[in-house]
């Protein structure tokens, strides 16, 4: 399994922005961001395959941009206009498949990075 390390989480006020990063230990076809708020199930935020095809959850569409630097094995999530409901632990996931919809089975996970948005 590939090792994933997330960073970039922080406490910000509503309307602010954050950029999350996830560095993988090896080349990975499918990578994605997921989040889990206390008492809720983990949900997909955004995914990106190797050629840049992306998927976004409706809740972040228009406010977030997923991107990746394949040379650096790094995945990013730029989040703007943050809302209190974006508060969650954000996880990076990886899957060894070419296409990257949310229902792909992600086999590797990072330890998470906390995002807290205050009103």
């Amino acid at each position: 399994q590939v090792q994933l390390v997330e960073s970039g989480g922080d406490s910000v006020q509503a309307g602010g922005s954050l950029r999350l990063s996830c560095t993988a230990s090896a080349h990975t076809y499918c990578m994605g961001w997921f989040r889990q708020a206390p008492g809720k199930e983990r949900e997909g935020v955004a995914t990106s395959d190797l050629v840049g095809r992306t998927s976004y959850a409706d809740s972040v569409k228009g406010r977030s941009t997923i991107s990746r630097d394949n040379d650096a094995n790094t995945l990013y999530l730029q989040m703007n206009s943050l809302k209190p409901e974006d508060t969650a632990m954000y996880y990076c996931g990886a899957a060894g498949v070419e296409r990257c919809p949310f229902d792909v089975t992600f086999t590797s996970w990072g330890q998470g990075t906390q995002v807290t948005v205050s009103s």
Side-chain angles (χ1 to χ4, degrees):
Q1 287 185 344
V2 63
Q3 305 299 313
L4 302 170
V5 179
E6 304 100 330
S7 62
D10 205 347
S11 295
V12 297
Q13 291 196 331
S17 297
L18 282 175
R19 188 193 197 202
L20 307 183
S21 299
C22 170
T23 300
S25 60
H27 185 71
T28 304
Y29 287 108
C30 168
M31 298 182 75
W33 288 100
F34 295 77
R35 66 187 182 186
Q36 187 168 18
K40 295 187 177 181
E41 293 187 356
R42 184 165 55 191
E43 62 177 359
V45 177
T47 66
S48 175
D49 66 15
L50 202 58
V51 296
R53 288 177 293 224
T54 58
S55 298
Y56 290 94
D58 288 342
S59 58
V60 303
K61 199 172 295 183
R63 300 187 296 120
S64 298
T65 303
I66 190 170
S67 61
R68 55 193 296 173
D69 181 343
N70 292 327
D71 291 336
N73 294 331
T74 301
L75 181 74
Y76 303 99
L77 182 69
Q78 177 68 43
M79 299 190 296
N80 302 318
S81 302
L82 283 162
K83 304 176 181 179
E85 49 264 44
D86 294 318
T87 296
M89 184 70 78
Y90 283 70
Y91 296 92
C92 175
V97 295
E98 291 190 9
R99 299 302 297 265
C100 207
F102 282 121
D103 60 358
V104 162
T105 299
F106 286 78
T107 55
S108 298
W109 296 95
Q111 82 289 348
T113 186
Q114 178 68 38
V115 172
T116 302
V117 184
S118 58
S119 57

